[in-house]
């Protein structure tokens, strides 16, 4: 598996990068928080805010998960991964 594979997968399909790194529960937890924060920001924002702005809480968690998958992939590549 290429080292960039989990990062691309996490970018395209949230949670899948964690599955590729053998951490499926972490992926489910991140999807859960994406949904929760996306719902909260959607409900708290007004109708004249853009769609990205209305789901910004979920998008923020998604970006954090992609960055974390990148970090875990680099640690695994360097042989320093901790389970």
């Amino acid at each position: 598996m290429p080292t960039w594979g989990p990062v691309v997968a996490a970018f395209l399909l949230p949670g899948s990068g964690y599955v590729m790194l053998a951490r499926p529960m972490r992926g489910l937890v991140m999807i859960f928080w994406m949904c929760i924060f996306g719902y909260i920001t959607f409900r708290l924002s007004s109708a004249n805010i853009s769609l990205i702005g209305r789901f910004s809480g979920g998008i923020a968690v998604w970006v954090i998960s992609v960055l974390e998958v990148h970090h875990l992939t680099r640690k695994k590549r360097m042989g320093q991964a901790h389970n």
Side-chain angles (χ1 to χ4, degrees):
M1 166 175 50
T3 57
W4 50 266
V7 178
V8 172
F11 183 78
L12 296 176
L13 184 64
S16 62
Y18 290 107
V19 173
M20 292 178 75
L21 293 173
R23 293 177 179 223
M25 283 305 294
R26 180 69 176 165
L28 284 175
V29 167
M30 294 303 273
I31 289 173
F32 171 77
W33 287 113
M34 282 179 219
C35 293
I36 293 297
F37 282 118
Y39 178 77
I40 289 171
T41 56
F42 182 81
R43 297 297 292 171
L44 291 176
S45 60
S46 63
N48 61 349
I49 304 295
S50 71
L51 194 61
I52 292 174
R54 294 196 77 181
F55 288 107
S56 61
I59 293 170
V61 175
W62 171 60
V63 169
I64 289 169
S65 72
V66 171
L67 292 174
E68 185 180 22
V69 167
H70 178 261
H71 177 73
L72 292 171
T73 304
R74 288 188 60 191
K75 280 176 62 174
K76 190 172 187 175
R77 182 178 59 194
M78 292 180 189
Q80 300 173 358
H82 301 291
N83 290 329

